[in-house]
Coordinates of all heavy atoms in Angstrom, one line a residue:
A1500 N 152.1 204.3 67.3 CA 152.9 203.6 68.3 C 154.3 203.5 67.9 O 155.2 203.7 68.7 CB 152.3 202.2 68.6
G1501 N 154.5 203.2 66.6 CA 155.9 203.1 66.1 C 156.6 204.4 66.1 O 157.8 204.5 66.5
A1502 N 155.9 205.5 65.8 CA 156.5 206.8 65.8 C 156.8 207.2 67.3 O 157.9 207.8 67.5 CB 155.5 207.8 65.2
W1503 N 155.9 206.9 68.2 CA 156.2 207.2 69.6 C 157.4 206.4 70.1 O 158.3 207.0 70.7 CB 155.0 206.9 70.5 CG 155.3 207.1 71.9 CD1 155.3 208.2 72.6 CD2 155.6 206.0 72.9 NE1 155.6 208.0 73.9 CE2 155.8 206.7 74.1 CE3 155.8 204.7 72.8 CZ2 156.2 206.0 75.2 CZ3 156.1 204.0 73.9 CH2 156.3 204.6 75.1
L1504 N 157.4 205.1 69.8 CA 158.6 204.3 70.3 C 159.9 204.8 69.7 O 160.9 204.8 70.4 CB 158.3 202.8 69.9 CG 159.3 201.8 70.4 CD1 159.4 201.9 71.9 CD2 159.0 200.4 70.0
S1505 N 159.9 205.2 68.4 CA 161.1 205.7 67.8 C 161.6 207.0 68.5 O 162.8 207.3 68.4 CB 161.0 205.8 66.3 OG 160.1 206.9 66.0
S1506 N 160.7 207.7 69.1 CA 161.1 208.9 69.8 C 161.6 208.6 71.2 O 162.3 209.4 71.8 CB 160.0 209.9 69.9 OG 159.0 209.5 70.8
V1507 N 161.3 207.4 71.7 CA 161.7 207.1 73.1 C 163.1 206.3 73.0 O 163.9 206.5 73.8 CB 160.7 206.2 73.7 CG1 161.1 205.7 75.1 CG2 159.4 207.0 73.9
V1508 N 163.2 205.4 72.1 CA 164.5 204.6 71.9 C 165.3 205.2 70.8 O 164.9 205.4 69.7 CB 164.1 203.1 71.6 CG1 165.4 202.3 71.4 CG2 163.2 202.5 72.7
P1509 N 166.6 205.6 71.2 CA 167.4 206.2 70.2 C 167.6 205.3 68.9 O 167.6 204.1 69.0 CB 168.8 206.4 70.9 CG 168.4 206.3 72.3 CD 167.2 205.5 72.4
A1510 N 167.9 205.9 67.8 CA 168.1 205.2 66.6 C 169.3 204.2 66.8 O 170.3 204.6 67.3 CB 168.4 206.1 65.4
G1511 N 169.1 203.0 66.3 CA 170.2 202.0 66.4 C 170.2 201.2 67.7 O 170.8 200.2 67.8
A1512 N 169.5 201.7 68.7 CA 169.4 201.0 70.0 C 168.4 199.9 70.0 O 167.4 200.0 69.4 CB 169.1 202.0 71.1
E1513 N 168.7 198.8 70.6 CA 167.8 197.7 70.8 C 167.2 197.7 72.2 O 167.9 198.0 73.1 CB 168.5 196.4 70.5 CG 169.0 196.2 69.1 CD 169.7 194.9 68.9 OE1 169.4 193.9 69.6 OE2 170.5 194.8 68.0
A1514 N 165.9 197.5 72.3 CA 165.3 197.4 73.6 C 165.9 196.2 74.4 O 166.1 195.2 73.8 CB 163.8 197.3 73.4

Side-chain angles (χ1 to χ4, degrees):
W1503 174 80
L1504 185 58
S1505 69
S1506 71
V1507 174
V1508 179
E1513 294 182 24

